[in-house]
Each structure stands twice: as structure tokens, then as C-alpha cells.
Amino acid sequence: MALRVGEVIESNTTGFIAQCYELHAAPAFGSLVRVSDGALSTYGLVYDVTTSSIDPGRRPIARGKDEEDEAAVFRNNPQLAKLFRTDFTCLVAGYGEAGRIYHFLPPAPPRVHAFVHICTLEEVADFSGSLDFLANLVAPGFPGPGDELAGAFLRLASRARADDGFLVRAGKELAVLLSGDLRRLNAILRRMKP
Amino acid sequence: MSEFEPGRGKRLGMVVGGSLLDGMAVRLDSGDSVEDMAVGRYVVVEGRKKKFFGMITDVTLGTIDKQIEITPPDMADPFVAEIIAGASTFGTVHVAPMLTLGLDAVSILDGPQPVKTVPSHFSEVREASEEDVALVFGREDASHFYVGTPLDMETKVCLDLKRFGERSSGIFGKSGTGKTFLTRILLIGLVQKGAAANLIFDMHNEYGWEGSSEGEQTRTVKGLKQLFPAKVAVFTLDEESSRARKVLTDFTVQIGYDQVEPEDIEMLSELLRLSPRAMDAIGFLLKKFGSSRWLEAFLSIESTEERDELAESLGVYSSTLRALNMSLSRLRRLKFLVPRTVEDSVQMILGYLDRGQNVVLEFGRYSDLLAYVLVANILTRRIHSRYVDATERAMGDKNQQPRQLVITIEEAHKFLNPGVAKQTIFGTIAREMRKYNVTLLVVDQRPSEIDEEVMSQIGTRITCLLDNEKDIDAVLTGISGKNELRTVLAKLETKQQALVVGHAVPMPVVIRTRDYGSPESYRDLGFASAAELRRRADKDNDDLFGDRS
């Protein structure tokens, strides 16, 4: 059963931002999340996780001087968990409708307050059946660390698929996409190496 | 798009460019290494409306970006290496299209046709499957004879022996590349299929009873007579040698001095070091003694005085006659050359050939060129004239036509070099004897020394490795796609590989020659051992009279 981690708080056609229910409980960088919104489920790749004060005007102050460890800071200041928030930004990588997965943008972005789930390994395996989304990650206009994201997701997908050939196939796809930029290709390849 | 499908070969890649003249560029799929490709390999291109048959003629390396050549990736890492191969770098093979087959029913019935166009972009390229090869080369049947397999394949390539015998053919290759081996296999085919009667001038005693096969170790292999005892007659020039080798011969050939004509001697002028003046002297001798006695009369002169007298009466220098005597006395060494013969050897040979027998003439210890050129020329000249007579007599009646005859000669350039080809009988046969049902099978290591006009008449050329540029040129004269084939030819292995082009095959093909010399190979060719014959006889007995045990 996919784990529910938060809700969409801002969205547009190509991406969305979700807030975690628990502080510091964001999905791992490069993991696949699913936003279920009626008949449509939107898939997103987590690429930016931010933890900040709920009030942008208030900066946190250091509190752990007399504490034994970091956990004690939160234990002795229970209000802290409510004064901070963890958000994560996702790239829309595709959507699912009526049991099929499409690796292009959904007709509508996820709505605000839609629930965000971390995909199970089976879902990751299903989703990574096609590698079309890689083109978006390495495209020049991508706002986040696309190369890192590609590497992280491919590592995850390879684990989910338990398929030795997968990384090589993905690598070849990247090699074609980055045919003119060998240094970048090498950097990604080093990151996705099993 | 699966890699393997029944009846179709493995997918190799797709057509990405090219032209009819220069052949097609085929980009290999990423899974295929260029190292698995081989020049000369046979492929099929599946176009949209037609299927093309072609041959790999070149292999090149390509990269998607020039940068990769300047800063190569870390290939020590197997993961990186695997990704780069086929994606950033790839192999391209060059395919020369040779034949095409339309995919509609009518075209399939017509069979493969010469190419007039190229397949469209991105057509799939596959290894040729067994069906493809059979479609082009035919299956083994009454006239098709299995000679070998294409490179890296287990399929049989068959030669149309009927067409092979129809025109003169050649087997070429450097010394030690398996010419004799190939020739033996082809002769076996010709005898087995009965495609033509054979007369074989067997210089090194390789084809008659048994021969040697040079492999990892030299072994003796069965000759024609052992395989087809009822169809082959072994003639010998040297009975002693045949007996010493325990060969059962049918006839010992002797040649009378009266059968030697001046033109036979002229053929030998190089070997006998005869000057033009000496040749003139022969002309005078001929006038004086007549064509049947001149040699005998001249060689019977023992003393120098008599010879000088003769010189005077002929009006030539006595030194010329002395030199001529020196040269011609080398003929005395040839024991098969006798003043008078009891039986007419040519008549014997023709008799055998007429009855559908094949004749192998062993030279025994006379394995030098002098004996070979002399005998081959004398016999062939007379057989030729008989054939011309017979064919002309049969003008009105097809059934009277003499049987197709294939004459096998080795060291063919001695008979067919530009200096003599115009005059010798072999030149004539090569040029025009197709009409008279006589063709040549020339075996030679220096095709460049064969007269160009003769070479152009050679229908089927089977070529083992050649590395001399001139020889390669000579062999490929008049063959389309010469440049591509040149690469193929130069890259043949030194053993058991040959390029077959010409009349007997619909398209050029590189073959690995079939195995010959093992018990299985004999059995495949229809040879039955004594034990096998007995078993068959017993079975026949049982079938006829019931099991009496």
C-alpha cells in the first residue's frame, strides 16, 4: 500500500509543490510520487525538498546548546515541529488513467490539497517501462538538478525492476539525448552506476 | 521486432544510406559488435516491397559526435563501456546489393533478379537464413551440387553444375590455398551429377585414385576412382609409378612421335629454350620429312656429321640444328613418347568419354611442365578436332551431339598466357569451344598471366586467397561490384575459403568449402564402404528370399 506523505499546496502544468504531514518526512530525492485526483493520477519525481519556518519573517534560533543530542532539541521544544514545514517540489513525469501510464503531461495539473503518495516499488517498476521522461530531465530549461535527478531515479528504478539490462538501456537512451555533450553524459553515468 | 524469428536470420541493423553504385550503409544495432561481422558475409535486406540479397563488403566504425574521438570515455568501466557501445559509437557495415526478389506472388515465381534499385531508408537488415540461401543458390538436386557453406553459417551453398560445365571455369588462388582440394570437390560433383564428361590432366596424381589433403596434418583422401569406380577410368603415363602407388589403372597412355606436331613444340619453346631460328628449322624439317615423320627422323640421327649434312641440305646453320637436337633430346627422357604406338590413346580416351566415363590422366613421375604441357596439348588438340567433327555432323540432329566435355588443366597460364593463347588449342577452346560442347576447367595460381581474352570467357571463377594486385584484377575482370569484391577477396582465409563469382552462381558468394576426407563426407557423396555394400546385399537377399536365419 502506497504511503501517503502529504498534500499538494501549489501546482502548475509541469510540476507541483507538496507539503509533508510530518516535519523532515519528505520522500527521498529522485523518488516517484503519485497524486491521486479522481480518475487521473499524476506521477511526479521529487527533486527539491525544502524545510523552512512557517512564518517567513521568523528565523529559527539555535536551541541545542545544553541538549545531549539533536532529538532532544525537538523533545524539549515540542512547539518546534509545528513552527516548521517540509515542502517538496516535483516534476510531472506522466500520468495514469484507466490503468494505463502515459509518459507525457496530464491534461490538467493536480489540484491543491490532492493527496501525495510515495509509489511502491511495483509502481516504480511499471512507470519505468518507458524512458521517455528522461528527455525532460536533461532538457536545458529544467529548473532543478536534472542530471542528479535522472541518476537518482534510475538507481531506484533499477532496484525496483531487478533488471540488470535496465541501467544499460537507460544509459543508451541518455547517450543519444546527450550525444553532443559527452561530459554531462559521463557525469550522469557515474551517478547511475550500479 | 524480435531478434529471432523462425525462417528469418538474426537482425543486424538497418539501412541508413547508400547508393546502387557504392552499396548501402547499414547501421548495426547496438547489441551487435562490429567484431562479429565479417566481410563476405551474406545478408538480406527486407525492403517494403522487395527483398534484397547482398554481401558485406566493408565494416566501419562510426561515432555520434566527433568529441568522443578526442576525449574518449572511461572504457575501463564496463558499465560505461556497455552504454557507449552502440549508442555513442556504433558499427556500420557496407552491403553491396546483388539480387532482389519482389514480395508479390508473381515475382516470387520469377525468382531472384539482378538489382536495379536499393531498399528504402531504415529497411531491416538480417543475416541470411537457410531459406534465403536456398532461394538464391537452389537446393541440392540433380544439377545443384553442395560446395560449401557461407561464412558463419551452416547453410549449404549449391553450384549449378550444368551451368558450370556449359562455359569454361577457373579455380584460382595462391599456392597452398586449397585449389586442389576445391578442384577435387568440384570434379566429384561433376562426376556425381553426371553434368559433363571429364578429362582431367592430373599433373600431381591427386584426383584419380587418392590424393593428399593438407590440413593440420596431411592425410590421404579418396580420389574419383574410389568414389565412383564405375564412372571413372584412370589412365597413366607412368605405369611404374602407378603400380608403386598401388593404383589400378585402366590404360597406359603412349604417344607416338608421329603425333607430335610443330605447334606442340612451339608451346614448349620457352621450356625447351628454343630460339625462333630453331623453330624455323623445324619448319624445314617438316617440309622435308612430312608431319608424321619429322620428329622421329630428326631424333634418330645419332652422329653430328649426319646432322651437319642435314643442316646443309635444309639450308640452316649447323649450330641451329645442334641446338635443336640438344633441346629436343630432352623429349627422349619422356618414356611415354615412343616412335610408334600400338594403340591410339586418343581413341581410347574418346571411347571412354563417349561411354560417359570420366578419364583421369595421371602423370606419375612426369610431374614437370614439359611433359604436362606436351601431353595435354597433343591429346586435347586431337580431342578437339574430333569434337568439332562430331558437333558439325550433329548439326541437324540434337541427339547426335557429343556429350559435354570438361577438360581440367593445371598450371593453366602455361597454356593460356598471352604469348601462346592465340595459337594453342586451349586458347581456342576457351574462346569458342562452348559451341562444340567442350569447356575448360583451368586451375592456376597466376590468373594475371592468362590472356585477357581467355579470362573474359571464363564463366565461373572460384577464387581462393590471392594477394597479388594484378592477379586480383585479372580474376575480377568484367565482374560488377569489382571494388567491393576486391576487399572480400583479399581478406579470405588462407584455407578452405573461396569466393565464387560468375555463371554458375546467381550472385558472388564467399564459401567455406565442404569437408572432404572424413568417412562422413564420403558417405554424403554416395560412397559405400565394403561393409556397407555387404550389408546392403544381405538386406536385398533377405528382401528377396526372406530371412533364412
Side-chain angles (χ1 to χ4, degrees):
Chain A
M1 187 60 208
L3 181 70
R4 201 168 99 193
V5 285
E7 281 174 30
V8 174
I9 53 166
E10 189 183 322
S11 80
N12 60 40
T13 304
T14 58
F16 57 87
I17 300 171
Q19 186 185 344
C20 284
Y21 290 134
E22 304 293 334
L23 190 66
H24 295 144
F29 173 73
S31 56
L32 185 70
V33 295
R34 176 171 45 77
V35 184
S36 293
D37 192 2
L40 213 69
S41 40
T42 308
Y43 288 97
L45 286 172
V46 178
Y47 73 84
D48 188 23
V49 181
T50 339
T51 299
S52 59
S53 165
I54 50 171
D55 181 354
R58 282 175 67 180
R59 289 186 74 186
I61 50 172
R63 293 172 187 272
K65 186 160 183 275
D66 301 317
E67 306 291 358
E68 265 172 39
D69 54 12
E70 288 95 338
V73 176
F74 283 91
R75 204 163 48 239
N76 296 332
N77 300 284
Q79 80 286 4
L80 284 183
K82 299 293 171 198
L83 292 174
F84 292 101
R85 54 189 288 177
T86 298
D87 293 348
F88 55 94
T89 312
C90 299
L91 168 83
V92 173
Y95 69 100
E97 192 176 20
R100 275 196 66 186
I101 295 174
Y102 302 92
H103 292 86
F104 45 83
L105 292 178
R111 280 182 298 188
V112 170
H113 291 302
F115 294 159
V116 180
H117 302 82
I118 298 183
C119 289
T120 60
L121 286 182
E122 288 84 57
E123 282 176 292
V124 174
D126 283 349
F127 184 80
S128 56
S130 155
L131 298 165
D132 294 349
F133 60 91
L134 285 178
N136 295 340
L137 301 192
V138 296
F142 186 70
D147 296 0
E148 291 275 0
L149 177 58
F153 176 71
L154 289 173
R155 278 200 308 274
L156 170 74
S158 151
R159 206 165 61 237
R161 298 176 70 87
D163 170 8
D164 291 336
F166 173 75
L167 280 182
V168 173
R169 276 205 308 282
K172 286 187 190 289
E173 182 88 30
L174 285 170
V176 174
L177 290 170
L178 295 174
S179 58
D181 196 346
L182 203 64
R183 261 182 305 173
R184 256 183 93 192
L185 175 66
N186 274 331
I188 302 183
L189 291 187
R190 273 198 299 277
R191 279 164 179 77
M192 59 190 265
K193 209 152 71 175
Chain B
M1 196 169 61
S2 78
E3 242 189 18
F4 292 99
E5 284 164 50
R8 299 168 83 192
K10 181 173 166 275
R11 187 188 141 103
L12 294 176
M14 60 190 180
V15 174
V16 291
S19 74
L20 183 58
L21 269 183
D22 301 330
M24 294 160 318
V26 174
R27 180 169 164 171
L28 293 179
D29 285 346
S30 59
D32 294 301
S33 164
V34 279
E35 292 172 22
D36 296 332
M37 298 299 119
V39 161
R41 202 199 269 189
Y42 185 39
V43 296
V44 173
V45 185
E46 294 178 348
R48 238 166 271 169
K49 292 181 186 160
K50 284 177 176 164
K51 201 167 175 175
F52 294 79
F53 301 94
M55 188 195 263
I56 298 182
T57 53
D58 196 11
V59 184
T60 45
L61 294 172
T63 53
I64 213 162
D65 182 34
K66 283 285 162 217
Q67 186 68 30
I68 204 163
E69 292 167 19
I70 301 160
T71 51
D74 177 16
M75 295 308 268
D77 185 337
F79 177 66
V80 174
E82 199 178 343
I83 285 168
I84 295 295
S88 302
T89 62
F90 51 88
T92 312
V93 292
H94 206 74
V95 173
M98 307 268 180
L99 292 175
T100 172
L101 178 71
L103 294 176
D104 54 294
V106 179
S107 318
I108 287 177
L109 283 179
D110 285 348
Q113 305 292 325
V115 279
K116 294 196 178 66
T117 180
V118 290
S120 52
H121 257 108
F122 312 126
S123 296
E124 199 172 56
V125 180
R126 292 178 173 274
E127 276 179 0
S129 70
E130 194 153 335
E131 275 96 276
D132 297 326
V133 174
L135 191 67
V136 173
F137 295 101
R139 292 185 196 278
E140 212 174 356
D141 59 23
S143 68
H144 285 86
F145 178 69
Y146 155 48
V147 283
T149 53
L151 291 188
D152 308 313
M153 286 178 77
E154 291 302 317
T155 323
K156 291 177 178 178
V157 168
C158 295
L159 215 60
D160 187 340
L161 288 184
K162 203 161 165 294
R163 287 173 73 91
F164 184 79
E166 257 170 29
R167 295 198 186 170
S168 290
S169 313
I171 296 177
F172 306 107
K174 276 203 311 180
S175 137
T177 48
K179 287 192 300 294
T180 306
F181 186 84
L182 248 171
T183 311
R184 189 183 296 123
I185 287 180
L186 282 169
L187 290 173
I188 288 170
L190 284 168
V191 174
Q192 190 196 33
K193 306 288 181 200
N198 285 282
L199 171 61
I200 301 148
F201 291 108
D202 185 3
M203 189 178 196
H204 303 291
N205 316 314
E206 287 281 357
Y207 307 116
W209 183 252
E210 65 183 9
S212 55
S213 164
E214 301 158 26
E216 274 127 45
Q217 65 221 46
T218 306
R219 56 180 179 179
T220 56
V221 295
K222 293 188 197 304
L224 293 169
K225 179 83 175 172
Q226 289 196 59
L227 283 184
F228 310 103
K231 289 191 196 167
V232 177
V234 178
F235 282 35
T236 184
L237 278 177
D238 183 358
E239 209 180 355
E240 270 175 55
S241 149
S242 298
R243 215 178 298 135
R245 282 180 290 119
K246 298 198 175 66
V247 176
L248 288 174
T249 54
D250 297 70
F251 186 72
T252 306
V253 172
Q254 288 191 323
I255 291 170
Y257 282 162
D258 52 336
Q259 293 170 356
V260 181
E261 289 184 14
E263 53 189 77
D264 301 324
I265 303 295
E266 198 173 346
M267 282 276 294
L268 301 171
S269 60
E270 197 187 317
L271 290 165
L272 291 174
R273 297 212 189 81
L274 286 176
S275 62
R277 210 173 275 161
M279 287 309 303
D280 291 344
I282 290 179
F284 290 126
L285 284 170
L286 195 69
K287 236 178 256 167
K288 188 171 169 73
F289 296 107
S291 67
S292 59
R293 277 204 68 239
W294 73 273
L295 185 62
E296 190 194 353
F298 181 68
L299 285 180
S300 63
I301 300 173
E302 301 272 319
S303 69
T304 325
E305 290 77 37
E306 268 181 81
R307 203 170 295 120
D308 290 349
E309 269 170 42
L310 179 64
E312 207 167 310
S313 72
L314 291 177
V316 295
Y317 293 116
S318 53
S319 60
T320 310
L321 271 203
R322 265 181 232 164
L324 182 63
N325 180 54
M326 288 273 276
S327 300
L328 292 186
S329 22
R330 282 181 67 194
L331 298 178
R332 284 205 187 102
R333 196 171 49 78
L334 308 172
K335 292 282 178 326
F336 57 83
L337 215 55
V338 292
R340 288 270 179 278
T341 50
V342 191
E343 278 173 290
D344 186 349
S345 303
V346 174
Q347 205 51 50
M348 283 297 281
I349 292 175
L350 281 171
Y352 274 88
L353 292 175
D354 280 344
R355 270 176 277 139
Q357 294 254 346
N358 300 277
V359 176
V360 181
L361 178 58
E362 288 199 336
F363 279 70
R365 284 163 302 175
Y366 302 113
S367 61
D368 58 0
L369 277 169
L370 182 65
Y372 193 72
V373 174
L374 181 68
V375 173
N377 205 42
I378 291 176
L379 294 183
T380 311
R381 183 159 38 75
R382 299 190 52 202
I383 290 167
H384 160 250
S385 62
R386 302 283 171 93
Y387 258 77
V388 172
D389 287 351
T391 328
E392 266 159 17
R393 247 182 288 124
M395 278 300 187
D397 184 0
K398 278 262 171 205
N399 296 328
Q400 291 285 309
Q401 287 240 338
R403 238 179 127 209
Q404 180 75 40
L405 173 68
V406 176
I407 300 177
T408 304
I409 46 166
E410 296 178 277
E411 301 291 345
H413 65 268
K414 294 287 174 200
F415 305 92
L416 296 170
N417 66 53
V420 299
K422 294 272 185 306
Q423 304 127 35
T424 69
I425 194 60
F426 290 100
T428 316
I429 293 180
R431 283 196 306 271
E432 62 193 45
M433 278 303 275
R434 195 168 57 79
K435 299 189 212 86
Y436 299 108
N437 288 356
V438 182
T439 54
L440 294 179
L441 173 59
V442 301
V443 183
D444 201 70
Q445 46 178 308
R446 295 305 310 272
S448 61
E449 288 185 18
I450 293 178
D451 186 47
E452 229 172 83
E453 197 188 338
V454 171
M455 206 60 198
S456 66
Q457 294 300 317
I458 292 184
T460 310
R461 300 169 200 178
I462 302 181
T463 313
C464 304
L465 176 70
L466 281 175
D467 46 17
N468 184 303
E469 289 287 314
K470 276 205 283 187
D471 288 334
I472 295 179
D473 270 340
V475 164
L476 296 177
T477 321
I479 306 273
S480 69
K482 188 175 165 185
N483 287 338
E484 281 100 3
L485 290 175
R486 169 186 278 278
T487 338
V488 175
L489 193 51
K491 298 288 179 254
L492 288 179
E493 274 173 32
T494 50
K495 287 272 174 213
Q496 279 218 321
Q497 282 193 0
L499 172 71
V500 189
V501 291
H503 196 57
V505 282
M507 64 179 271
V509 62
V510 174
I511 57 162
R512 173 171 293 280
T513 35
R514 72 187 281 179
D515 175 47
Y516 182 71
S518 64
E520 298 83 50
S521 66
Y522 295 141
R523 210 158 39 238
D524 288 348
L525 287 162
F527 175 75
S529 64
E532 170 73 10
L533 283 174
R534 178 156 321 132
R535 206 164 38 243
R536 274 191 223 161
D538 285 348
K539 188 170 178 300
D540 287 349
N541 244 339
D542 290 347
D543 289 349
L544 272 175
F545 306 112
D547 198 348
R548 283 160 298 168
S549 60

